[in-house]
Amino acid sequence: MQTIKINTRIDQKGCIQLPREYRYTYGQKVKVVLQVSNENEHQFYRRMPGSARGILKIHMEDDEHLNDFNEYMK
């Protein structure tokens, strides 16, 4: 087993970009250990769809307000 130590970023899709010099590792099994810096501690995290499920409650079912959008739906 070979150890490679690099500094890189994780993109918005969750992919870790490897430098071209390590392209020989593409397709191989790896063990990943992440050490995340705290420099971006105050940034807001990107919410995932459905993350508020169970938090919001509908107090009244009302379809009348949907009539305002009829002309856009045609």
Side-chain angles (χ1 to χ4, degrees):
M1 180 170 277
Q2 178 184 5
T3 301
I4 300 171
K5 183 177 179 179
I6 60 170
N7 290 323
T8 187
R9 294 189 180 272
I10 301 173
D11 65 19
Q12 292 181 351
K13 293 181 181 179
C15 297
I16 298 173
Q17 300 298 319
L18 291 177
R20 286 181 181 248
E21 62 196 69
Y22 300 113
R23 65 177 166 236
Y24 65 88
T25 62
Y26 294 0
Q28 295 186 21
K29 290 183 179 182
V30 297
K31 178 180 180 181
V32 177
V33 178
L34 297 177
Q35 183 177 15
V36 180
S37 68
N38 291 332
E39 65 186 43
N40 297 330
E41 186 176 340
H42 298 292
Q43 281 187 338
F44 293 102
Y45 67 93
R46 180 166 275 223
R47 289 187 49 196
M48 300 299 292
S51 64
R53 186 175 292 150
I55 296 174
L56 300 175
K57 295 185 175 152
I58 299 174
H59 292 285
M60 178 176 30
E61 198 65 41
D62 178 21
D63 291 335
E64 287 184 26
H65 68 281
L66 296 177
N67 292 333
D68 296 336
F69 296 98
N70 277 342
E71 63 186 65
Y72 297 109
M73 300 299 284
K74 292 180 182 181

Coordinates of all heavy atoms in Angstrom, one line a residue:
M1 N 0.9 -1.2 0.0 CA 0.0 0.0 0.0 C 0.9 1.2 0.0 O 1.9 1.3 0.7 CB -0.9 0.0 1.2 CG -1.8 1.2 1.3 SD -3.1 1.1 2.5 CE -4.3 0.2 1.6
Q2 N 0.5 2.2 -0.8 CA 1.3 3.5 -0.9 C 0.5 4.6 -0.3 O -0.7 4.7 -0.4 CB 1.5 3.8 -2.4 CG 2.2 5.0 -2.7 CD 2.3 5.3 -4.2 OE1 1.7 4.6 -5.0 NE2 3.0 6.4 -4.5
T3 N 1.2 5.5 0.4 CA 0.5 6.7 1.0 C 0.8 7.9 0.2 O 2.0 8.2 -0.1 CB 1.0 6.9 2.4 OG1 0.7 5.7 3.2 CG2 0.4 8.1 3.1
I4 N -0.2 8.6 -0.2 CA -0.1 9.9 -0.9 C -0.7 11.0 -0.1 O -1.9 10.8 0.3 CB -0.8 9.8 -2.3 CG1 -0.2 8.7 -3.1 CG2 -0.7 11.1 -3.0 CD1 -1.0 8.4 -4.4
K5 N 0.0 12.0 0.1 CA -0.5 13.2 0.9 C -0.6 14.4 0.0 O 0.4 14.8 -0.6 CB 0.4 13.5 2.1 CG -0.1 14.6 3.0 CD 0.8 14.8 4.2 CE 0.3 15.9 5.1 NZ 1.1 16.1 6.2
I6 N -1.8 14.9 -0.2 CA -2.1 16.1 -1.0 C -3.0 17.0 -0.3 O -3.8 16.6 0.5 CB -2.6 15.7 -2.4 CG1 -4.0 15.0 -2.3 CG2 -1.7 14.8 -3.2 CD1 -4.7 14.8 -3.5
N7 N -3.0 18.3 -0.7 CA -4.0 19.3 -0.3 C -4.9 19.5 -1.5 O -4.4 19.8 -2.6 CB -3.3 20.6 0.1 CG -2.6 20.4 1.5 OD1 -3.0 19.7 2.3 ND2 -1.4 21.0 1.6
T8 N -6.2 19.4 -1.3 CA -7.1 19.5 -2.5 C -8.4 20.0 -1.9 O -8.6 20.2 -0.7 CB -7.2 18.2 -3.3 OG1 -8.0 18.5 -4.4 CG2 -7.9 17.1 -2.4
R9 N -9.4 20.2 -2.8 CA -10.7 20.6 -2.4 C -11.7 19.6 -2.8 O -11.5 18.9 -3.8 CB -11.1 22.0 -3.0 CG -10.3 23.1 -2.5 CD -10.8 24.4 -3.0 NE -10.0 25.5 -2.6 CZ -10.2 26.2 -1.4 NH1 -11.2 25.8 -0.6 NH2 -9.5 27.2 -1.1
I10 N -12.9 19.6 -2.1 CA -14.0 18.7 -2.5 C -14.9 19.6 -3.2 O -15.4 20.7 -2.7 CB -14.6 18.1 -1.3 CG1 -13.6 17.2 -0.5 CG2 -15.8 17.2 -1.7 CD1 -14.1 16.7 0.8
D11 N -15.3 19.3 -4.5 CA -16.2 20.1 -5.2 C -17.6 20.0 -4.8 O -18.0 19.2 -3.9 CB -16.0 19.9 -6.7 CG -16.5 18.6 -7.2 OD1 -17.2 17.9 -6.5 OD2 -16.1 18.2 -8.3
Q12 N -18.5 20.7 -5.4 CA -20.0 20.8 -5.0 C -20.7 19.4 -5.2 O -21.7 19.2 -4.6 CB -20.7 21.9 -5.7 CG -20.2 23.2 -5.2 CD -21.0 24.4 -5.9 OE1 -21.8 24.1 -6.8 NE2 -20.8 25.6 -5.4
K13 N -20.1 18.6 -6.1 CA -20.7 17.3 -6.3 C -20.1 16.2 -5.3 O -20.5 15.1 -5.4 CB -20.4 16.8 -7.7 CG -21.1 17.7 -8.8 CD -20.9 17.2 -10.2 CE -21.6 18.1 -11.2 NZ -21.3 17.6 -12.6
G14 N -19.2 16.7 -4.5 CA -18.6 15.7 -3.5 C -17.4 15.0 -4.1 O -16.9 14.0 -3.5
C15 N -16.8 15.4 -5.2 CA -15.7 14.8 -5.8 C -14.4 15.4 -5.3 O -14.3 16.6 -5.2 CB -15.8 14.9 -7.3 SG -17.2 14.1 -8.0
I16 N -13.4 14.6 -5.1 CA -12.1 15.0 -4.7 C -11.2 15.0 -6.0 O -11.1 14.0 -6.7 CB -11.4 14.1 -3.7 CG1 -12.3 14.2 -2.4 CG2 -10.0 14.5 -3.4 CD1 -11.9 13.2 -1.3
Q17 N -10.6 16.1 -6.3 CA -9.8 16.2 -7.5 C -8.4 15.8 -7.2 O -7.7 16.4 -6.3 CB -9.8 17.7 -8.0 CG -11.2 18.2 -8.4 CD -11.8 17.4 -9.5 OE1 -11.2 17.0 -10.5 NE2 -13.1 17.1 -9.4
L18 N -7.9 14.8 -7.9 CA -6.5 14.4 -7.8 C -5.6 15.1 -8.8 O -6.0 15.3 -9.9 CB -6.4 12.9 -8.0 CG -7.0 12.0 -6.9 CD1 -6.8 10.5 -7.3 CD2 -6.3 12.2 -5.6
P19 N -4.4 15.5 -8.4 CA -3.5 16.0 -9.4 C -3.2 15.0 -10.5 O -3.3 13.8 -10.3 CB -2.3 16.4 -8.6 CG -2.7 16.4 -7.2 CD -3.9 15.5 -7.1
R20 N -2.9 15.5 -11.7 CA -2.6 14.6 -12.9 C -1.5 13.6 -12.6 O -1.5 12.5 -13.2 CB -2.3 15.5 -14.1 CG -3.4 16.1 -14.7 CD -3.0 16.9 -15.9 NE -4.1 17.6 -16.5 CZ -4.7 17.3 -17.7 NH1 -4.1 16.4 -18.4 NH2 -5.7 18.0 -18.1
E21 N -0.6 14.0 -11.8 CA 0.6 13.1 -11.5 C 0.1 11.8 -10.8 O 0.9 10.8 -10.8 CB 1.6 13.8 -10.7 CG 1.1 14.2 -9.3 CD 2.0 15.2 -8.7 OE1 2.1 16.4 -9.2 OE2 2.7 14.9 -7.7
Y22 N -1.1 11.8 -10.3 CA -1.6 10.5 -9.6 C -2.6 9.8 -10.5 O -3.4 9.0 -10.0 CB -2.2 10.9 -8.3 CG -1.1 11.5 -7.3 CD1 -1.3 12.8 -6.9 CD2 0.0 10.8 -6.9 CE1 -0.3 13.4 -6.1 CE2 0.9 11.3 -6.1 CZ 0.8 12.7 -5.7 OH 1.7 13.2 -4.9
R23 N -2.7 10.1 -11.8 CA -3.7 9.5 -12.6 C -3.5 8.0 -12.7 O -4.5 7.3 -13.1 CB -3.8 10.1 -14.0 CG -2.5 9.9 -14.8 CD -2.7 10.6 -16.2 NE -1.4 10.7 -16.8 CZ -0.9 11.8 -17.3 NH1 -1.6 12.9 -17.2 NH2 0.3 11.8 -17.8
Y24 N -2.4 7.4 -12.4 CA -2.2 6.0 -12.3 C -3.1 5.3 -11.3 O -3.3 4.1 -11.3 CB -0.7 5.6 -12.1 CG -0.2 6.0 -10.8 CD1 -0.3 5.2 -9.7 CD2 0.4 7.3 -10.6 CE1 0.2 5.5 -8.4 CE2 0.9 7.6 -9.3 CZ 0.8 6.8 -8.3 OH 1.3 7.1 -7.1
T25 N -3.6 6.1 -10.4 CA -4.5 5.5 -9.3 C -5.9 5.4 -9.8 O -6.7 4.8 -9.1 CB -4.4 6.4 -8.0 OG1 -4.9 7.7 -8.3 CG2 -3.0 6.5 -7.5
Y26 N -6.3 6.0 -10.9 CA -7.7 6.0 -11.3 C -8.1 4.5 -11.5 O -7.5 3.7 -12.1 CB -7.9 6.7 -12.7 CG -7.6 8.2 -12.6 CD1 -7.2 8.9 -11.5 CD2 -7.7 9.0 -13.8 CE1 -7.0 10.2 -11.4 CE2 -7.4 10.3 -13.8 CZ -7.1 11.0 -12.6 OH -6.8 12.3 -12.6
G27 N -9.3 4.2 -10.9 CA -9.9 2.9 -11.1 C -9.4 1.9 -10.0 O -9.9 0.8 -9.9
Q28 N -8.4 2.3 -9.2 CA -7.9 1.4 -8.1 C -8.7 1.6 -6.8 O -9.3 2.7 -6.6 CB -6.5 1.7 -7.9 CG -5.6 1.3 -9.1 CD -4.1 1.5 -8.7 OE1 -3.7 1.5 -7.5 NE2 -3.3 1.6 -9.7
K29 N -8.7 0.6 -6.0 CA -9.4 0.8 -4.7 C -8.4 1.6 -3.8 O -7.2 1.4 -3.8 CB -9.6 -0.6 -4.1 CG -10.7 -1.4 -4.8 CD -10.9 -2.7 -4.0 CE -12.0 -3.4 -4.7 NZ -12.3 -4.7 -4.0
V30 N -9.0 2.5 -3.0 CA -8.3 3.4 -2.1 C -8.9 3.4 -0.8 O -10.1 3.2 -0.6 CB -8.1 4.8 -2.7 CG1 -7.3 4.8 -4.0 CG2 -9.4 5.5 -2.9
K31 N -8.1 3.8 0.2 CA -8.7 4.1 1.6 C -8.5 5.6 1.7 O -7.4 6.1 1.6 CB -7.9 3.3 2.6 CG -8.3 3.6 4.0 CD -7.4 2.8 5.0 CE -7.8 3.0 6.4 NZ -7.0 2.2 7.3
V32 N -9.6 6.3 2.0 CA -9.5 7.8 2.1 C -9.7 8.2 3.6 O -10.6 7.8 4.3 CB -10.7 8.4 1.3 CG1 -10.7 9.9 1.4 CG2 -10.5 8.0 -0.2
V33 N -8.8 9.0 4.0 CA -8.9 9.6 5.4 C -8.9 11.1 5.2 O -8.0 11.7 4.5 CB -7.6 9.2 6.2 CG1 -7.7 9.9 7.6 CG2 -7.6 7.7 6.4
L34 N -9.9 11.8 5.6 CA -10.1 13.2 5.4 C -9.7 14.0 6.7 O -10.1 13.6 7.8 CB -11.5 13.6 5.1 CG -12.1 13.0 3.8 CD1 -13.5 13.4 3.6 CD2 -11.3 13.5 2.6
Q35 N -9.0 15.0 6.5 CA -8.7 16.0 7.6 C -9.1 17.3 7.1 O -8.5 17.9 6.2 CB -7.2 16.0 7.9 CG -6.8 16.9 9.0 CD -5.3 16.8 9.3 OE1 -4.5 16.3 8.5 NE2 -4.9 17.3 10.5
V36 N -10.3 17.8 7.7 CA -10.9 19.0 7.2 C -10.5 20.2 8.0 O -10.5 20.1 9.2 CB -12.5 18.8 7.3 CG1 -13.2 20.1 6.8 CG2 -12.9 17.6 6.5
S37 N -10.0 21.2 7.3 CA -9.6 22.4 8.0 C -10.8 23.2 8.5 O -11.9 23.1 7.9 CB -8.8 23.3 7.1 OG -9.6 23.8 6.1
N38 N -10.7 24.0 9.5 CA -11.8 24.8 10.1 C -11.8 26.2 9.6 O -12.5 27.0 10.1 CB -11.7 24.8 11.6 CG -11.9 23.5 12.2 OD1 -12.7 22.7 11.7 ND2 -11.3 23.2 13.4
E39 N -11.0 26.5 8.5 CA -11.0 27.9 8.0 C -12.3 28.3 7.4 O -12.6 29.5 7.4 CB -9.9 28.0 7.0 CG -10.1 27.2 5.7 CD -8.9 27.3 4.8 OE1 -7.8 27.1 5.2 OE2 -9.2 27.4 3.5
N40 N -13.1 27.4 7.0 CA -14.4 27.8 6.4 C -15.6 27.5 7.4 O -16.7 27.3 7.0 CB -14.7 27.0 5.1 CG -13.7 27.4 4.1 OD1 -13.2 28.5 4.0 ND2 -13.4 26.5 3.2
E41 N -15.3 27.5 8.7 CA -16.2 27.1 9.7 C -17.5 28.0 9.7 O -18.6 27.5 10.0 CB -15.5 27.2 11.1 CG -16.4 26.7 12.2 CD -15.6 26.8 13.5 OE1 -14.4 26.9 13.5 OE2 -16.3 26.8 14.6
H42 N -17.4 29.3 9.3 CA -18.5 30.2 9.4 C -19.3 30.2 8.1 O -20.3 30.9 8.0 CB -18.0 31.6 9.7 CG -17.4 31.6 11.1 ND1 -18.1 31.4 12.3 CD2 -16.1 31.8 11.4 CE1 -17.3 31.5 13.3 NE2 -16.0 31.7 12.8
Q43 N -18.9 29.4 7.1 CA -19.7 29.4 5.9 C -20.9 28.5 6.1 O -20.9 27.6 6.9 CB -18.9 28.7 4.7 CG -17.9 29.7 4.1 CD -17.3 29.0 2.9 OE1 -17.2 27.8 2.7 NE2 -16.8 29.8 2.0
F44 N -22.0 28.8 5.4 CA -23.2 28.1 5.5 C -23.1 26.8 4.6 O -22.5 26.9 3.5 CB -24.4 28.9 5.0 CG -24.7 30.0 5.9 CD1 -24.3 31.3 5.6 CD2 -25.4 29.8 7.1 CE1 -24.6 32.4 6.4 CE2 -25.6 30.9 8.0 CZ -25.3 32.2 7.6
Y45 N -23.6 25.7 5.1 CA -23.5 24.5 4.3 C -24.7 24.5 3.3 O -25.7 25.2 3.5 CB -23.6 23.3 5.2 CG -25.0 23.1 5.9 CD1 -26.0 22.3 5.3 CD2 -25.2 23.7 7.1 CE1 -27.2 22.2 6.0 CE2 -26.5 23.6 7.8 CZ -27.4 22.8 7.2 OH -28.6 22.7 7.8
R46 N -24.5 23.8 2.2 CA -25.5 23.7 1.2 C -26.5 22.7 1.6 O -26.2 21.6 1.9 CB -24.8 23.3 -0.1 CG -25.8 23.1 -1.3 CD -25.0 23.0 -2.5 NE -24.8 24.4 -2.9 CZ -24.9 24.8 -4.1 NH1 -25.2 24.0 -5.1 NH2 -24.7 26.1 -4.4
R47 N -27.8 23.2 1.6 CA -28.9 22.3 2.0 C -29.2 21.3 0.9 O -29.1 21.5 -0.2 CB -30.1 23.1 2.3 CG -30.0 23.9 3.6 CD -31.2 24.6 4.0 NE -32.3 23.7 3.9 CZ -33.6 24.0 3.9 NH1 -33.9 25.3 4.0 NH2 -34.6 23.1 3.9
M48 N -29.6 20.1 1.4 CA -29.9 19.1 0.4 C -31.5 19.0 0.3 O -32.2 19.3 1.3 CB -29.4 17.7 1.0 CG -27.9 17.6 1.1 SD -27.0 17.9 -0.4 CE -27.5 16.4 -1.3
P49 N -32.0 18.7 -0.9 CA -33.4 18.6 -1.0 C -34.0 17.6 0.0 O -33.4 16.5 0.1 CB -33.6 18.1 -2.5 CG -32.3 18.5 -3.2 CD -31.2 18.4 -2.1
G50 N -35.1 18.0 0.6 CA -35.7 17.1 1.6 C -35.2 17.2 3.0 O -35.6 16.5 3.9
S51 N -34.2 18.1 3.2 CA -33.6 18.2 4.5 C -34.5 18.8 5.6 O -34.3 18.6 6.8 CB -32.3 19.0 4.5 OG -32.6 20.3 4.1
A52 N -35.6 19.4 5.1 CA -36.5 20.0 6.1 C -37.8 19.1 6.3 O -38.7 19.5 7.0 CB -37.0 21.4 5.6
R53 N -37.7 17.9 5.7 CA -38.8 17.0 5.9 C -39.1 16.7 7.3 O -38.2 16.4 8.1 CB -38.5 15.7 5.1 CG -39.7 14.7 5.1 CD -39.4 13.5 4.2 NE -39.3 14.0 2.9 CZ -38.5 13.4 1.9 NH1 -37.8 12.4 2.3 NH2 -38.5 13.8 0.7
G54 N -40.3 16.8 7.7 CA -40.8 16.6 9.1 C -40.7 17.8 10.0 O -41.1 17.8 11.1
I55 N -40.1 18.9 9.5 CA -39.9 20.1 10.3 C -41.1 21.0 10.0 O -41.7 21.6 10.9 CB -38.6 20.8 9.9 CG1 -37.4 19.9 10.4 CG2 -38.5 22.2 10.6 CD1 -36.1 20.5 10.0
L56 N -41.5 21.2 8.7 CA -42.6 22.1 8.4 C -43.9 21.3 8.5 O -44.0 20.2 8.1 CB -42.4 22.6 6.9 CG -41.1 23.3 6.6 CD1 -41.0 23.6 5.2 CD2 -41.1 24.6 7.5
K57 N -44.9 22.1 9.0 CA -46.2 21.5 9.1 C -47.3 22.3 8.4 O -47.2 23.6 8.5 CB -46.6 21.4 10.6 CG -45.7 20.4 11.3 CD -46.1 20.2 12.7 CE -45.2 19.2 13.2 NZ -44.9 19.0 14.5
I58 N -48.2 21.7 7.7 CA -49.3 22.4 7.0 C -50.4 22.5 8.0 O -51.0 21.5 8.5 CB -49.7 21.7 5.8 CG1 -48.5 21.6 4.8 CG2 -50.9 22.4 5.1 CD1 -48.8 20.8 3.6
H59 N -50.8 23.7 8.4 CA -51.9 23.9 9.4 C -53.3 23.9 8.7 O -54.3 23.5 9.3 CB -51.7 25.2 10.1 CG -50.5 25.2 11.0 ND1 -50.5 24.6 12.2 CD2 -49.3 25.8 10.8 CE1 -49.3 24.7 12.7 NE2 -48.6 25.5 11.9
M60 N -53.3 24.2 7.4 CA -54.6 24.2 6.7 C -54.4 23.9 5.3 O -53.5 24.5 4.6 CB -55.3 25.6 6.9 CG -56.6 25.7 6.2 SD -57.5 27.3 6.4 CE -56.2 28.5 6.6
E61 N -55.2 23.0 4.7 CA -55.1 22.7 3.3 C -56.0 23.7 2.6 O -57.2 23.9 2.9 CB -55.7 21.3 3.1 CG -55.3 20.6 1.8 CD -53.8 20.4 1.7 OE1 -53.1 20.0 2.7 OE2 -53.3 20.6 0.6
D62 N -55.4 24.4 1.6 CA -56.1 25.5 1.0 C -55.6 25.6 -0.5 O -54.5 25.8 -0.8 CB -55.8 26.9 1.6 CG -56.4 28.0 0.9 OD1 -57.4 27.8 0.2 OD2 -55.9 29.2 1.1
D63 N -56.5 25.3 -1.4 CA -56.2 25.3 -2.8 C -56.6 26.6 -3.5 O -56.3 26.8 -4.7 CB -56.9 24.1 -3.6 CG -56.3 22.8 -3.2 OD1 -55.1 22.8 -2.7 OD2 -57.0 21.8 -3.3
E64 N -57.3 27.5 -2.8 CA -57.8 28.7 -3.4 C -56.6 29.6 -3.9 O -56.7 30.2 -5.0 CB -58.6 29.5 -2.5 CG -60.0 28.9 -2.2 CD -60.8 29.8 -1.3 OE1 -60.6 31.0 -1.3 OE2 -61.7 29.3 -0.6
H65 N -55.5 29.6 -3.2 CA -54.4 30.5 -3.6 C -53.8 30.0 -4.9 O -53.1 30.7 -5.6 CB -53.3 30.5 -2.5 CG -52.6 29.2 -2.3 ND1 -53.2 28.2 -1.5 CD2 -51.4 28.8 -2.7 CE1 -52.4 27.2 -1.5 NE2 -51.3 27.5 -2.2
L66 N -54.0 28.7 -5.3 CA -53.4 28.2 -6.5 C -54.2 28.8 -7.8 O -53.6 28.8 -8.9 CB -53.6 26.7 -6.6 CG -52.7 25.9 -5.5 CD1 -53.0 24.4 -5.6 CD2 -51.3 26.2 -5.7
N67 N -55.4 29.3 -7.6 CA -56.1 29.9 -8.7 C -55.4 31.1 -9.2 O -55.5 31.5 -10.4 CB -57.5 30.2 -8.3 CG -58.4 29.0 -8.0 OD1 -58.1 27.9 -8.6 ND2 -59.3 29.1 -7.1
D68 N -54.6 31.8 -8.4 CA -53.8 32.9 -8.9 C -52.8 32.6 -9.9 O -52.3 33.4 -10.7 CB -53.1 33.6 -7.7 CG -54.1 34.2 -6.7 OD1 -55.3 34.5 -7.1 OD2 -53.7 34.3 -5.5
F69 N -52.4 31.3 -10.0 CA -51.4 30.9 -10.9 C -51.9 30.2 -12.2 O -51.2 29.7 -13.0 CB -50.4 29.9 -10.2 CG -49.6 30.6 -9.1 CD1 -50.0 30.4 -7.8 CD2 -48.5 31.3 -9.4 CE1 -49.3 31.0 -6.8 CE2 -47.8 31.9 -8.4 CZ -48.2 31.8 -7.1
N70 N -53.3 30.2 -12.4 CA -53.9 29.5 -13.5 C -53.4 30.1 -14.8 O -53.1 29.3 -15.7 CB -55.4 29.7 -13.4 CG -56.0 28.6 -12.6 OD1 -55.4 27.6 -12.2 ND2 -57.2 28.9 -12.1
E71 N -53.2 31.4 -15.0 CA -52.8 31.9 -16.3 C -51.3 31.5 -16.6 O -51.0 31.4 -17.7 CB -52.9 33.4 -16.3 CG -52.0 34.2 -15.2 CD -52.3 35.6 -15.2 OE1 -53.4 36.0 -14.8 OE2 -51.4 36.4 -15.6
Y72 N -50.5 31.3 -15.6 CA -49.1 30.8 -15.8 C -49.1 29.4 -16.2 O -48.1 28.9 -16.8 CB -48.2 31.1 -14.6 CG -48.1 32.5 -14.2 CD1 -48.8 33.1 -13.1 CD2 -47.4 33.4 -15.0 CE1 -48.6 34.4 -12.8 CE2 -47.2 34.7 -14.7 CZ -47.9 35.2 -13.5 OH -47.7 36.5 -13.2
M73 N -50.0 28.6 -15.7 CA -50.0 27.2 -15.9 C -50.5 26.8 -17.3 O -50.4 25.6 -17.7 CB -50.8 26.5 -14.9 CG -50.3 26.7 -13.5 SD -48.6 26.1 -13.2 CE -48.9 24.4 -13.1
K74 N -51.1 27.7 -18.0 CA -51.7 27.4 -19.4 C -50.6 27.3 -20.4 O -49.6 27.7 -20.5 CB -52.7 28.4 -19.8 CG -53.9 28.3 -18.9 CD -54.9 29.4 -19.3 CE -56.1 29.3 -18.3 NZ -57.2 30.2 -18.7

